[in-house]
Amino acid sequence: MGQKKQNQLSRRGLLAGAGAVAIGGAGLASTLGAGSAVAAPGPGAPQPTAFGPVTIRTGDPRYENLVRGNNFRFVGRPDEIRVVGSTDQVVRAVSDAVRSGRRVAVRSGGHCFESFTADPAVRVLLELSPMDAVGYDVGRRAFAVQPGATLARVYRTLLSGWGVTIPAGGCPEVGTGGHIAGGGYGPLSRRYGSVVDHLWGVEVVVVNRDGTARAVVATRAPDDPHQDLWWAHTGGGGGNFGVVTRYWLRSPDATGTDPSRLLPASPREMLEDLVVWAWDDRMTEQAFTGLLRNFGTWHERNSAPGSPHAGLYAVLIPAHKKAGTFMMVTQTDADIPNADDLVTDFVSAVTTGTGVNPVVNTRRTLPWLHATTWPGLGEPGTVFDRRYKIKAGYLRRSFTDAQLSAIYRNLTNSTGGSRSGMVLVGYGGQVRTVPAGATAIAQRDVVMKAVYQTIWTDEADDAANLAWVRNLYRDVYAATGGVPVSGEVSDGSFINYPDTDLADPAWNTSGVAWHTLYYKDNYPRLQQVKARWDPRNVFHHALAIEPA
Ligand SMILES: Cc1cc2nc3c(=O)[nH]c(=O)nc-3n(C[C@H](O)[C@H](O)[C@H](O)COP(=O)(O)OP(=O)(O)OC[C@H]3O[C@@H](n4cnc5c(N)ncnc54)[C@H](O)[C@@H]3O)c2cc1C
């Protein structure tokens, strides 16, 4: 898009300077304003051609600008970057790649943690950022979102046009292309579920067995013959089945034709609470593990669907001791009854019995859009400092005592850096109402996500940082072969936080396959969808679904 800002000065960004990251522009295509309608753009229908296609090869001054994604560890060297502006252009680009036998990868927001779009074997990179329109599709009675739209663009357009929103990620620069297909979630998920619980349909460019590419529309309608393709995009992960060129969003229980009632209402204001603790002598193992245990116990007890606490979203960010401090950010809709008391009770539940007082404890209300779309929010590091490795796991309950000790040990050791640490993210609530097989997200009976991360600047520090975060993870999951095997406490991991170590026998000694950790019992069905819709296995990457 060319106008993304690498703003490093957000409040959370500054605090992130102490070692924390919260994970939890206009393109040339037009954004449709309030009340405007998108003609139902079925396959073959005319597409807007305001942009492209543009083909950029090595040597072109634009090449180095476009080849890089969010994680500077991975920079591909494709022969060409095809920058596309419409579904027809995607069909042509995919056809050309298949015809010439070149491996293709697709990038929308570029926020992949791993090298999926930057693999050296990728020869053609499809860049979808100009396809960023967001609007209301009267014909389909749903909001149409193109994959290049960032979450900030979606939130801003849905709010300003119709006063609605989606429960997607807390990082405004993430692209919807990968985010929705991977089962995205965010600050409103405890209240409204995963974003895919509001996914009505998807347009995907797929490749037939004979190598021809075509656009297909698949919806959640039970009588849709393509429903399996829709299902695969409710958490199956990007880069597996084809190229998503459009998502349509409408809540499952929405009725009528008034667009402002077809998705959750966007909150008016958010109440935000920030607590910062110092890593000083008082932060003993007992105090530190007490904070984490309390955070987990609260989520164990207060994550039932419809609970009065489901509107509260909290992120605890225990940074390595070298950061000097660590923090917790709590958000709730300021218009929820007793919002202030809910937050006070929560903060007190987390701190109780630990004997440590925060060095910062502030609260304020902010318009929801500002609280959600501040540029740079949640981005790892800065533009100078953006090499990272992130690992993850779902939690059904608080960590065990042995796990908490492992976390303390690793967050106070000599090998971690000031930008190493963890993020514990509140989840559960409404996401738990959906059966495990109804969407491709198999982990529904969970209450938190745990993120393990380290961020650094220089390539020379790769090995040390990778070793630190891998050892932390292996220690936390020591009882289950170094990975979060589904059981009483853990429930595998999240494909939007992909970690290729889960497929590496050196780091996964559990005997449980990587795909079981991500997809559990949904994997065989995903393999069938893959075999039907991508029989030539055109779309693949290091953690791709293998055809049945
Ligand atoms: C700073 C940061 C914050 C994040 N915060 C959150 C969060 O709050 N909640 C959350 O759930 N996740 C979060 N994530 C994870 C994020 O959802 C995933 O990384 C997501 O896949 C990114 O999508 P993208 O389009 O930006 O990335 P890309 O790198 O463009 O794509 C990611 C994957 O999806 C594929 N893909 C992309 N576009 C398409 C398409 N149009 N059709 C088919 N496949 C496609 C790619 O090939 C690749 O495999 C965060 C990631 C980062 C880096």
Side-chain angles (χ1 to χ4, degrees):
M1 254 171 289
Q3 293 184 22
K4 285 183 180 176
K5 290 188 183 130
Q6 305 280 6
N7 189 325
Q8 305 142 33
L9 297 177
S10 71
R11 184 166 60 100
R12 278 185 223 174
L14 284 172
L15 288 159
V21 167
I23 291 295
L28 294 178
S30 64
T31 295
L32 299 159
S36 58
V38 185
Q47 299 284 336
T49 51
F51 183 91
V54 174
T55 301
I56 295 170
R57 300 196 172 83
T58 47
D60 186 310
R62 293 169 294 181
Y63 185 88
E64 296 300 334
N65 285 281
L66 293 173
V67 83
R68 203 178 274 257
N70 187 264
N71 190 344
F72 289 4
R73 280 175 65 209
F74 307 115
V75 183
R77 297 311 291 175
D79 300 334
E80 57 184 45
I81 304 171
R82 292 282 283 264
V83 193
V84 286
S86 71
T87 301
D88 288 345
Q89 291 175 25
V90 173
V91 170
R92 273 199 298 281
V94 170
S95 298
D96 289 350
V98 172
R99 202 173 331 106
S100 58
R102 288 175 303 165
R103 179 157 158 200
V104 64
V106 48
R107 193 175 66 194
S108 293
H111 272 59
C112 191
F113 290 171
E114 290 284 5
S115 68
F116 296 174
T117 64
D119 189 298
V122 169
R123 305 276 33 107
V124 179
L125 177 65
L126 247 63
E127 166 64 51
L128 268 67
S129 54
M131 295 179 66
D132 67 348
V134 179
Y136 182 62
D137 183 336
V138 174
R140 299 194 191 270
R141 208 166 60 81
F143 289 91
V145 173
Q146 288 188 311
T150 59
L151 295 180
R153 185 169 180 79
V154 176
Y155 294 144
R156 182 174 291 277
T157 309
L158 293 182
L159 170 105
S160 51
W162 300 273
V164 296
T165 195
I166 47 172
C171 300
E173 287 148 64
V174 163
T176 49
H179 180 76
I180 296 182
Y185 80 104
L188 296 178
S189 288
R190 283 171 53 85
R191 199 169 170 197
Y192 296 124
S194 160
V195 66
V196 298
D197 300 340
H198 303 264
L199 183 67
W200 176 82
V202 62
E203 180 185 71
V204 193
V205 172
V206 294
V207 179
N208 299 334
R209 194 173 292 281
D210 66 4
T212 51
R214 66 189 167 115
V216 177
V217 172
T219 73
R220 69 177 175 225
D223 58 350
D224 186 335
H226 304 155
Q227 199 213 28
D228 60 339
L229 188 60
W230 162 81
W231 179 83
H233 286 86
T234 58
N240 277 300
F241 308 100
V243 183
V244 175
T245 44
R246 199 176 307 254
Y247 292 107
W248 284 277
L249 296 153
R250 188 210 305 154
S251 298
D253 52 354
T255 54
T257 54
D258 176 358
S260 67
R261 304 180 78 88
L262 299 181
L263 283 174
S266 38
R268 188 180 62 91
E269 270 188 334
M270 297 305 278
L271 182 64
E272 274 212 353
D273 184 272
L274 170 72
V275 175
V276 180
W277 291 278
W279 258 122
D280 59 18
D281 292 346
R282 282 162 301 171
M283 193 55 73
T284 59
E285 176 168 352
Q286 193 188 2
F288 177 81
T289 57
L291 289 171
L292 270 64
R293 186 184 294 104
N294 288 345
F295 185 91
T297 306
W298 186 92
H299 281 89
E300 245 174 87
R301 293 181 182 155
N302 295 288
S303 298
S307 146
H309 302 98
L312 186 147
Y313 171 75
V315 183
L316 176 62
I317 311 176
H320 191 278
K321 189 172 186 173
K322 286 181 190 161
T325 59
F326 64 96
M327 67 177 179
M328 178 172 77
V329 179
T330 309
Q331 271 196 349
T332 192
D333 183 334
D335 290 331
I336 286 180
N338 306 321
D340 209 52
D341 293 344
L342 279 179
V343 175
T344 302
D345 292 350
F346 168 72
V347 173
S348 137
V350 172
T351 45
T352 190
T354 60
V356 279
N357 294 319
V359 289
V360 174
N361 190 352
T362 59
R363 195 170 295 181
R364 63 178 181 172
T365 51
L366 273 180
W368 176 77
L369 193 64
H370 293 268
T372 309
T373 62
W374 196 261
L377 200 65
E379 288 294 320
T382 68
V383 72
F384 301 108
D385 182 0
R386 191 158 283 174
R387 300 177 80 79
Y388 55 89
K389 172 71 183 173
I390 296 178
K391 302 166 81 69
Y394 278 109
L395 285 162
R396 286 192 157 122
R397 45 154 292 191
S398 183
F399 285 118
T400 64
D401 288 349
Q403 289 179 311
L404 290 169
S405 287
I407 293 169
Y408 179 80
R409 238 182 2 260
N410 283 273
L411 266 60
T412 54
N413 65 13
S414 61
T415 53
S418 63
R419 303 179 81 84
S420 309
M422 287 182 63
V423 185
L424 277 175
V425 192
Y427 194 56
Q430 188 65 20
V431 293
R432 301 175 76 185
T433 60
V434 178
T439 67
I441 301 175
Q443 294 87 353
R444 291 289 184 165
D445 184 26
V446 287
V447 299
M448 287 174 285
K449 302 200 192 204
V451 175
Y452 308 79
Q453 65 186 21
T454 183
I455 305 163
W456 64 101
T457 310
D458 295 323
E459 193 174 348
D461 297 327
D462 283 9
N465 277 278
L466 290 173
W468 181 83
V469 73
R470 285 172 167 157
N471 288 331
L472 162 67
Y473 196 76
R474 188 180 53 191
D475 284 2
V476 171
Y477 299 113
T480 51
V483 294
V485 174
S486 186
E488 201 187 328
V489 177
S490 292
D491 199 11
S493 195
F494 175 39
I495 197 61
N496 256 350
Y497 295 165
D499 172 13
T500 53
D501 293 346
L502 297 191
D504 182 345
W507 295 104
N508 176 1
T509 57
S510 68
V512 177
W514 68 267
H515 49 77
T516 303
L517 294 168
Y518 284 113
Y519 301 115
K520 299 176 71 175
D521 294 343
N522 285 338
Y523 190 63
R525 189 171 168 200
L526 285 165
Q527 289 186 285
Q528 286 162 16
V529 180
K530 171 79 177 172
R532 178 179 177 200
W533 292 102
D534 185 19
R536 297 166 64 107
N537 200 16
V538 170
F539 301 97
H540 59 98
H541 52 69
L543 291 179
I545 290 159
E546 283 151 17

